[in-house]
Amino acid sequence: MKIWFWLKNSRLFSLPMTVLSWLVIFIYSLPGDILNGVLALFGIAFAHLATNLFDDYVDYKNLPANCQQCKCAYIKEGKATINDVLRVVIIYLTLASIIGGILFLRCGFPVIILAIIGGTIALSYAQLSKRGLSEIAVGTAFGPFLFEGVYFVMRGEFSLKVFILSLAVVMFTIGLMYVHTVLDFEGDIKEGKKTLVCRLGKKSLAINGVFVVYGLGYLFTAIAALMIKNYSLFLTFLLIPLIINLHKSLKTFECGGEVGEFYFRLLKARNLMVYYSLIVAAGLL
């Protein structure tokens, strides 16, 4: 089925980080306009899938010999052409734009500003990643812009508390992206990318950076818990053993190995974000 083919190659497995980030701010924004909140979810999800697929479009032309076996495999195997990829990206962005237009009519001009900035980040992600700015791009798009955007369409205002909460949650999303670049370390070095991990120079140093990323997440979590006076958010600290386990698994990974080994570690980071978001969402309820 073509739809499933494209969803899978748009890395549908990463979509929970969008849905769960949205769930956190959706719950926090209640009571608010529920329809606007749901529309925002679909718009953000289409933009996310477009970003993932456009990353393949840009990367395919410069794939190094020792890249991960799974990287752009569907193009290398002739199951789709590079032009097919671009067409699907355009479809995703068109759907996201239609939803953005509806929210503009319902909520006003700030939606357009948020959509333009979000769209720019989406289309620039591949280039930003090569310059070591992927974590900043993801942090901006899936943190303050996602949270403040959903809060605005549901409540009609922006909030400092929402901003801090967004920084807490998005650090676990950044953790997923950071782990991805650690797993791609050798291939990215060969390609000449300037990701944050590559800039660190040593893979061992990059692996230890996992503690910095998640440590910042817990710092913002503590600040958010104190600001909104919801101390159940401290339950997220129970996930620290999973971070230690992730760190250990990264130390045993070899680039260019089995696809399953790559995804095994990547899904550890994704699951961390899932568990964290569910705990926060439950606490906000």
Side-chain angles (χ1 to χ4, degrees), residues 150-168:
V150 173
Y151 191 75
F152 176 79
V153 300
M154 292 183 69
R155 299 289 290 269
E157 61 183 4
F158 298 104
S159 165
L160 177 59
K161 292 179 181 178
V162 167
F163 178 76
I164 298 300
L165 181 62
S166 76
L167 294 180

